[in-house]
Amino acid sequence: MSDVGTDMVDLLSGVWESLKAVRERAPLVHNITNYVVMNNTANALLAVGASPAMVHAREEVADFAALSQALVVNIGTLSPEWVEGMRLAVKSARAAGVPWVLDPVGAGATHYRTTTAGELARQGPAVIRGNASEILAVAGEAGDTRGVDSTRSSTASLDAARRLASWLGTVVAITGRTDYVTDGSRVVAVDNGHPLMARVTGMGCTASALVAAFLAVEPDAVLAAARALAVLGLAGELAAEQSRGPGSLQLHLLDALYTLDEATVRARARVR
């Protein structure tokens, strides 16, 4: 972790305190997300203690975003109607002071997807969470996206993430073998996780949803994102220890998010 003029709090204590706050406050997290992952992310939010809502209609997204404690905009399944709903929700969230997370799924794969991600990235998200290729694409660099999968390592895109965060005045979280969170000056690395998580669809989308839940209880977006990623990665490790493959991992992951305790967080969270 690099620190420019700001003393970071005890990161391990912070992971537990934020998780406990999510469980106590049960923040309402408004998700505009893709068809593939709605069930996954809703269940993960419930397991961690938040209250999920999957609301997409243009006629109600603005109202719902304003009464939520956090918003997720995930571009996994795009259509003009959904993009318009995303714009309306973001405008409403910003007016109401509601933090929001952009997940630029598959940015770099097509012109429509890349330009939509770029447009939304300029609308003041608290956090942009993506894999290395997606972050490179949003930053205007070659991301070599293969569909929605990354062909780059998180470490390889860290410099681009720092430039993007500084340029937009936001926090960028890159997920991969090591997760990195930066606001352009501070960098926090999270080393929790398990390779089997990459075999379950929507794990990155789940990460974005948990980041939003933690933003609802922690105003420092760097800390909120890093703590959320540590919780998900640690839950993935615990789940993998009991799983024979990706199917059982999904079940055990929800249980791990639900039962994660302070002693386990302090013993096994790897945040630096």
Side-chain angles (χ1 to χ4, degrees):
M1 177 184 67
S2 66
D3 187 344
V4 181
T6 302
D7 292 330
M8 298 287 279
V9 299
D10 181 334
L11 289 172
L12 291 181
S13 294
V15 173
W16 170 249
E17 291 303 319
S18 287
L19 176 57
K20 184 170 68 170
V22 170
R23 290 172 173 173
E24 291 172 350
R25 301 182 200 176
L28 177 61
V29 181
H30 176 188
N31 297 263
I32 301 179
T33 192
N34 66 77
Y35 295 120
V36 179
V37 305
M38 287 186 193
N39 184 68
N40 305 58
T41 53
N43 279 328
L45 284 167
L46 285 169
V48 85
S51 178
M54 277 46 191
V55 179
H56 303 83
R58 289 175 294 176
E59 293 78 7
E60 65 173 343
V61 287
D63 291 339
F64 214 94
L67 60 86
S68 301
Q69 279 75 61
L71 167 69
V72 180
V73 173
N74 175 306
I75 69 168
T77 47
L78 285 177
S79 70
E81 293 78 12
W82 275 36
V83 173
E84 181 59 26
M86 292 171 183
R87 293 178 181 131
L88 292 170
V90 166
K91 181 178 180 180
S92 177
R94 294 185 68 186
V98 173
W100 70 282
V101 177
L102 172 63
D103 189 331
V105 178
T110 67
H111 177 74
Y112 181 48
R113 188 169 293 275
T114 304
T115 55
T116 298
E119 174 198 336
L120 292 168
R122 294 188 291 274
Q123 303 308 310
V127 177
I128 302 172
R129 199 292 317 163
N131 64 38
S133 293
E134 291 161 351
I135 296 304
L136 285 166
V138 175
E141 303 184 21
D144 296 331
T145 302
R146 185 181 63 230
V148 298
D149 296 325
S150 180
T151 61
R152 301 289 190 91
S153 72
S154 54
T155 303
S157 64
L158 180 55
D159 287 344
R162 295 183 74 160
R163 290 191 294 271
L164 181 63
S166 295
W167 173 46
L168 295 176
T170 188
V171 167
V172 176
I174 323 159
T175 48
R177 179 171 295 181
T178 296
D179 302 330
Y180 293 101
V181 182
T182 182
D183 59 4
S185 56
R186 294 177 293 170
V187 177
V188 178
V190 180
D191 293 314
N192 290 105
H194 190 277
L196 193 57
M197 296 171 74
R199 296 293 183 176
V200 177
T201 188
M203 199 60 70
C205 303
T206 298
S208 295
L210 295 190
V211 168
F214 277 59
L215 275 171
V217 302
E218 171 51 60
D220 186 322
V222 170
L223 298 180
R227 292 168 182 174
L229 294 176
V231 165
L232 179 60
L234 178 50
E237 291 174 11
L238 296 170
E241 291 170 2
Q242 307 176 65
S243 303
R244 295 182 62 188
S248 52
L249 181 79
Q250 297 178 78
L251 300 175
H252 291 308
L253 178 69
L254 295 178
D255 289 347
L257 288 171
Y258 183 75
T259 59
L260 195 57
D261 58 29
E262 182 176 5
T264 304
V265 169
R266 290 185 178 276
R268 295 188 54 166
R270 297 192 300 278
V271 185
R272 51 189 170 86

